[in-house]
Amino acid sequence: FRNLIIQNMGLGINVRYNSTLRLEHTTIRNNDYGIIVLSTAELIADNIKVYNNSNDNTDSNSGGGAGLNMDGGAPNKPIGRITNSLFYNNSSTYSGAIRNEGDLYLTNVTITENIATYTDGGSGGIWQSTSGSNPNPGEEASITMRNCIIYNNTPQEDYEEQDNNGFGPTCWDIDYSNIEISTFPDYCAYDIGDSNQYNIEPLFVDASSNDFHLQSTSPCIDKGDIDLYGDGISWLTDIDDQDPDGSRMD
């Protein structure tokens, strides 16, 4: 599906069990929940805008993630692959933008100005929780992020406090991203690269007018993954690792 506007509903999109949904150039706004992806389902989305979705769900098993709620436990986790997209001004309890219980891959995604109403341990941007009955090691929820911006969410990211059924969030794989964060977990293994920027303003053009393009002086310019797809080809000759003007990816 492409070029859709999904708005003013209790649930904008529900990706059901054992199904795959592809979305392109779609706006999802003013719903209680923007997108819910259930166990064994897969969402593949490119160039989507998810904003102004809001709910006050206090259920610890499903609350949060007014923009995107990856709802399902091990071993049949939901999968989300989201590229070149924007989540802003979403509001819920544990997190405003995204709640993840599955395997979520974010590339070139900006998450900003979202609100978690649970300020004690909540994260305005992303809340990750391992779900399911007695999950085994390796079945934890996972997030892989490249070339992403998570900034000016309320409260800022606090990954140490998030619920993982006794497991630490061992599957945080983050690199080449700009993150405003208070705490990474200190009790678990996680894969945090050396090319992230922490608590540095990304310098949007005009956030007050919802223009989240980068200013020319942004610290994120030309700081994207130099080999995003791991093919070993230098960004200087690989258009997959370049912006449209031929410069290094932001």
Side-chain angles (χ1 to χ4, degrees), residues 106-197:
L106 304 176
T107 305
N108 300 329
V109 175
T110 295
I111 300 170
T112 186
E113 298 189 355
N114 303 281
I115 297 173
T117 56
Y118 284 3
T119 57
D120 184 11
S123 293
I126 298 174
W127 173 276
Q128 179 163 237
S129 175
T130 293
S131 182
S133 177
N134 299 316
N136 295 312
E139 293 179 339
E140 302 93 339
S142 71
I143 289 181
T144 300
M145 289 195 292
R146 295 292 185 273
N147 301 355
C148 293
I149 296 174
I150 306 177
Y151 188 80
N152 200 29
N153 300 288
T154 304
Q156 62 185 240
E157 306 304 279
D158 185 351
Y159 298 150
E160 185 173 5
E161 294 296 327
Q162 299 187 9
D163 171 28
N164 281 269
N165 284 5
F167 294 105
T170 57
C171 296
W172 292 88
D173 182 348
I174 307 171
D175 209 356
Y176 295 96
S177 294
N178 177 297
I179 306 172
E180 184 179 27
I181 187 167
S182 64
T183 312
F184 273 121
D186 60 5
Y187 52 82
C188 63
Y190 53 94
D191 188 4
I192 307 299
D194 296 327
S195 299
N196 294 308
Q197 300 171 351

Side-chain angles (χ1 to χ4, degrees), residues 26-88:
T26 290
T27 296
I28 303 165
R29 65 190 182 199
N30 301 328
N31 307 287
D32 293 345
Y33 278 100
I35 307 170
I36 292 180
V37 184
L38 299 177
S39 292
T40 68
E42 182 176 15
L43 171 69
I44 302 172
D46 182 63
N47 277 287
I48 64 172
K49 291 183 179 181
V50 184
Y51 62 95
N52 292 354
N53 301 284
S54 179
N55 67 71
D56 58 359
N57 184 356
T58 60
D59 188 337
S60 62
N61 293 315
S62 60
L68 170 64
N69 194 307
M70 303 280 290
D71 185 14
N76 299 308
K77 296 180 289 184
I79 298 172
R81 307 180 192 275
I82 302 176
T83 56
N84 306 313
S85 295
L86 174 63
F87 290 75
Y88 70 94

